[in-house]
Amino acid sequence: MNASPDARAERWSRFREARNRDLAAEHGWLTLTSFEWLETRPGAVGSLPGSWSSDGTTALLTAAAEDGLTFVGTGRPVTGTVPATLADEESLMWVQYGGDDGTQVVVELARRANRYALRTRDSESPVRTAFDGVPTFEYRPDLVIEARYEAYPEPVDEPISTANPLVRGVHRAAGEVVFRLPRMDSEYRLQAAADQQGALTVTFSDATNGNTTAGWRRVSTGKPHPDGTVILDFNRAVNYPSAFTPYGTCPMPVKGNSLGGGIEAGEKRPAGAEGTGQP
């Protein structure tokens, strides 16, 4: 926390600009328009061209050139029957169609709870075209918290719910982030997930949820210092995609990752969004 409050506020402004750009990407989270499970019997899925199915381990797509489907990345037409295989929790931007150049709608293949599903990402989604940034609280320098990270000897897996009631999830906790909030006596211990570089993500709920904020949010940190200290900047608390769209399968907080007070910092509930990230 050596940077001055003004320098931290300036970095936060740049963070917000990048965050809004990422959300407004051509086939980003604001473009989700459907979520459909694949059946074992080949057939149509919604209004998508082609015939789709899954045998449990592999997803199958059958299409003809006149269906107008092409592979994302190569633009090669889909003809005949093509397979795709994913591990659980993986996703693949698989094929595309529509619009003047044939790339308006991307069909994402996903595997959730060991079942295959399709999500469509339409660059002309009203959620995206009407987007002008996520509303946020004013910057709060007092909610830039120096915390202590206590790693577990081994990661701990805990079952969790997700934004989709049909999808159960697992949270792999690498350790706990320990801290106090301003003007509060309680010490909090929140479980944190770690990426391959050691950076942490904490998914949490607080008293603002369902009022000014969505049902839960997450905040990420850098890799903890050798002495275990880590900066928990709640000004960088962000919504999961499920706050913007009903087609997300985002993880809910583990039991215990709840803050008794309200965190009036970071992103608010998206204006006009129809997400499921509510209590």
Side-chain angles (χ1 to χ4, degrees):
M1 297 182 63
N2 294 327
S4 69
D6 286 346
R8 290 198 297 269
E10 176 60 28
R11 287 204 292 262
W12 176 72
S13 294
R14 294 196 297 270
F15 167 81
R16 291 302 325 154
E17 292 171 0
R19 165 73 171 162
N20 286 328
R21 283 198 305 271
D22 289 344
L23 282 171
E26 186 176 17
H27 291 107
W29 290 115
L30 301 185
T31 66
L32 293 181
T33 52
S34 72
F35 180 100
E36 300 282 350
W37 297 108
L38 287 185
E39 304 292 342
T40 55
R41 184 187 297 273
V45 175
S47 61
L48 294 179
S51 178
W52 310 76
S53 64
S54 167
D55 63 8
T57 59
T58 302
L60 299 167
L61 163 61
T62 301
E66 55 266 28
D67 288 317
L69 290 167
T70 61
F71 289 102
V72 173
T74 67
R76 181 168 54 87
V78 180
T79 56
T81 298
V82 294
T85 303
L86 300 176
D88 197 34
E89 295 302 316
E90 285 187 338
S91 296
L92 169 68
M93 299 302 181
W94 197 8
V95 296
Q96 59 198 355
Y97 73 97
D100 293 339
D101 61 359
T103 66
Q104 177 178 323
V105 180
V106 166
V107 182
E108 174 191 2
L109 178 68
R111 194 169 185 181
R112 301 291 184 268
N114 283 313
R115 295 178 62 189
Y116 281 103
L118 299 180
R119 284 197 294 208
T120 50
R121 295 176 178 246
D122 187 340
S123 60
E124 294 301 314
S125 161
V127 177
R128 177 181 183 244
T129 57
F131 179 69
D132 62 356
V134 186
T136 67
F137 292 97
E138 293 294 323
Y139 181 78
R140 291 277 301 274
D142 60 321
L143 287 176
V144 182
I145 308 293
E146 184 174 283
R148 181 176 76 256
Y149 175 61
E150 298 180 358
Y152 294 148
E154 297 291 339
V156 176
D157 289 345
E158 292 200 21
I160 56 170
S161 299
T162 75
N164 186 320
L166 298 178
V167 177
R168 300 290 296 178
V170 174
H171 179 270
R172 171 156 287 192
E176 296 177 353
V177 175
V178 185
F179 62 96
R180 295 179 185 272
L181 291 173
R183 296 178 295 280
M184 296 187 71
D185 294 331
S186 300
E187 181 181 79
Y188 290 102
R189 289 178 169 269
L190 303 186
Q191 289 189 354
D195 65 17
Q196 292 182 343
Q197 286 71 46
L200 306 176
T201 295
V202 176
T203 300
F204 69 96
S205 59
D206 69 90
T208 66
N209 300 155
N211 182 15
T212 51
T213 64
W216 62 94
R217 294 178 289 169
R218 60 182 168 87
V219 60
S220 297
T221 76
K223 182 179 179 180
H225 295 293
D227 64 356
T229 58
V230 64
I231 301 303
L232 199 59
D233 186 352
F234 283 105
N235 295 287
R236 299 192 179 211
V238 298
N239 296 314
Y240 274 98
S242 55
F244 302 92
T245 169
Y247 307 115
T249 58
C250 305
M252 291 183 177
V254 296
K255 185 178 180 180
N257 271 26
S258 178
L259 298 173
I263 300 296
E264 294 185 329
E267 292 187 351
K268 295 182 178 181
R269 182 203 298 256
E274 297 180 357
T276 57
Q278 311 303 330

